[in-house]
Amino acid sequence: IRHFPVDFSIELRGDGEEEYRTAARLTGQDDAPVQPVAVSFDRTQARYVRLVVTRLSPETIPGDCLHLQLAEIEVQLTGGASNLAEHKMVTAGDSLETGAWGVANLTDGLTASRDPHIGYTSGRNVGQDPDVSADPLWLEVDLGSDQTFNQVTLWHSHPTL
């Protein structure tokens, strides 16, 4: 099942800043990656890391509604071993919160989707049109304070339900 973003951007905002800045914009991504997708950009400082999705993968099952699903989001300085996002607070424009699915699962340190924590899934039914640019899906990690990093890694959710 594909529910990975095809077109998305990583936006950043520092502590005390009002405006987001775009660190990276990707289009035409593989909609069912086997490996995590590492998005690299110039070394920067920010407190808030936002994933903004404007296109989802197309329908794979006739009649299936499209969703955004991820197992984990990591924020790192290349060469550093530490995931700055681990156990940090995540907010989302919408989320299905069931225990197995929920925003807290995005930073729980588990990169593989397995019970009882599968990952995150958007809760909004976007229908069957993968273009959500008019009303993008978004997730935001609050790192707690300004941190230095240059990479955000997205882990695809592969639930075994």
Side-chain angles (χ1 to χ4, degrees):
I1 295 177
R2 309 172 189 173
H3 292 291
F4 196 78
V6 174
D7 297 350
F8 62 92
S9 61
I10 303 294
E11 298 180 353
L12 310 173
R13 183 168 62 96
D15 201 6
E17 294 177 3
E18 293 183 23
E19 300 291 323
Y20 285 89
R21 62 190 184 278
T22 301
R25 186 178 320 272
L26 287 85
T27 59
Q29 295 299 296
D30 181 358
D31 58 5
V34 175
Q35 299 298 318
V37 174
V39 181
S40 297
F41 40 85
D42 291 338
R43 184 178 172 147
T44 190
Q45 280 195 332
R47 174 177 177 170
Y48 301 97
V49 178
R50 182 175 274 200
L51 170 68
V52 179
V53 177
T54 55
R55 179 171 287 283
L56 296 167
S57 59
E59 164 188 354
T60 58
I61 301 170
D64 190 22
C65 292
L66 304 177
H67 297 278
L68 169 62
Q69 293 180 343
L70 296 172
E72 190 79 6
I73 185 168
E74 296 178 336
V75 177
Q76 296 172 309
L77 181 60
T78 305
S82 134
N83 172 12
L84 301 171
E86 191 167 2
H87 303 296
K88 300 298 184 191
M89 188 171 74
V90 180
T91 54
D94 71 300
S95 176
L96 179 64
E97 298 289 324
T98 66
W101 295 106
V103 293
N105 296 338
L106 279 169
T107 58
D108 63 4
L110 301 174
T111 57
S113 298
R114 59 184 171 272
D115 286 332
H117 302 286
I118 297 170
Y120 161 84
T121 187
S122 57
R124 175 168 43 115
N125 180 347
V126 299
Q128 296 178 349
D129 184 358
D131 183 356
V132 293
S133 59
D135 188 13
L137 298 170
W138 63 269
L139 307 165
E140 182 176 270
V141 179
D142 180 350
L143 300 176
S145 63
D146 281 344
Q147 301 292 323
T148 301
F149 56 93
N150 64 348
Q151 184 171 289
V152 172
T153 303
L154 305 176
W155 291 78
H156 188 211
S157 178
H158 296 280
T160 55
L161 299 175

